[in-house]
Amino acid sequence: MRQLIAPRIAVDSAIRSGKPVIDGTRVPVDLVVGKLGGGMSMEDIATEYDLVIEDILAVLQYAATVLAAEEVRATA
């Protein structure tokens, strides 16, 4: 069952094993972040995966929200 977890970002156990994807697609959030981190432009990603720039911006917003909530504890 599809569940919207952020604007334009959804999870569905039947799609990509429940990984967050851009809503209405099978494009995982982590793939888009990885492509951006690898130097691919937003325009090229949009063209290659049939997305709009707003989808990619939603991915970045979702990733920022998830990272902001993450708690990392340094151990020595």
Side-chain angles (χ1 to χ4, degrees):
M1 180 161 84
R2 176 185 153 278
Q3 180 180 3
L4 203 61
I5 59 170
R8 295 180 181 260
I9 307 298
V11 292
D12 184 332
S13 60
I15 298 173
R16 300 284 185 175
S17 301
K19 290 175 71 171
V21 298
I22 297 171
D23 193 29
T25 76
R26 298 181 60 82
V27 180
V29 166
D30 65 319
L31 179 129
V32 175
V33 171
K35 296 287 184 180
L36 288 166
M40 199 169 186
S41 74
M42 285 196 282
E43 292 79 10
D44 287 344
I45 294 168
T47 299
E48 185 167 329
Y49 295 97
D50 195 26
L51 304 171
V52 295
I53 297 300
E54 290 78 9
D55 292 329
I56 298 166
L57 293 173
V59 162
L60 290 173
Q61 182 60 50
Y62 173 73
T65 300
V66 169
L67 286 173
E70 184 177 25
E71 188 173 315
V72 177
R73 295 191 178 137
T75 58

